[in-house]
Amino acid sequence: ETDFNAALDWVKTQPEGKPRDELIARIALARSQVDPAEAARLTVEQIPAGEAQIEAAIAVLHQWALHDPNGAAAWVETFPESPIRERALNELASVARYRTGE
């Protein structure tokens, strides 16, 4: 949280695999608090396609939607038609319900 660039540089030196993907996901989640677009880019570019990337993207999306629902929705609109897009749309709806107190 205090030195994003140093944390990311260190993680990039780690061997590829699940532990590294999990560290990147944690960095992206922390980054989503201040720069959700950068956090989204990080999940797409630094975590290989698969379950870890999906979970990281949904976590970033959740934080983004809490602070900037329009920006989060715009990101989801870039997703191709797929189960991840449906899951992301459901996440947006869930956050919207939370924000309105439903």
Side-chain angles (χ1 to χ4, degrees):
E1 289 181 13
T2 58
D3 193 345
F4 169 76
N5 291 326
L8 185 57
D9 288 345
W10 178 80
V11 168
K12 287 180 177 179
T13 69
Q14 302 308 301
E16 291 184 14
K18 185 176 179 179
R20 180 179 183 265
D21 295 345
E22 289 171 353
L23 289 169
I24 292 172
R26 291 179 68 184
I27 290 171
L29 182 59
R31 190 63 173 180
S32 70
Q33 301 293 316
V34 294
D35 190 348
E38 172 66 15
R41 185 193 64 75
L42 184 63
T43 63
V44 172
E45 293 179 3
Q46 296 295 321
I47 302 173
E51 194 61 31
Q53 185 186 60
I54 291 168
E55 293 306 317
I58 294 298
V60 167
L61 175 66
H62 181 88
Q63 290 302 312
W64 196 345
L66 287 172
H67 303 290
D68 176 12
N70 293 331
W75 183 43
V76 171
E77 289 301 316
T78 69
F79 292 15
E81 289 294 328
S82 64
I84 181 61
R85 186 171 196 270
E86 289 304 314
R87 185 167 169 201
L89 290 170
N90 288 336
E91 187 66 28
L92 289 175
S94 176
V95 171
R97 285 191 303 274
Y98 170 78
R99 290 174 53 93
T100 61
E102 293 180 17

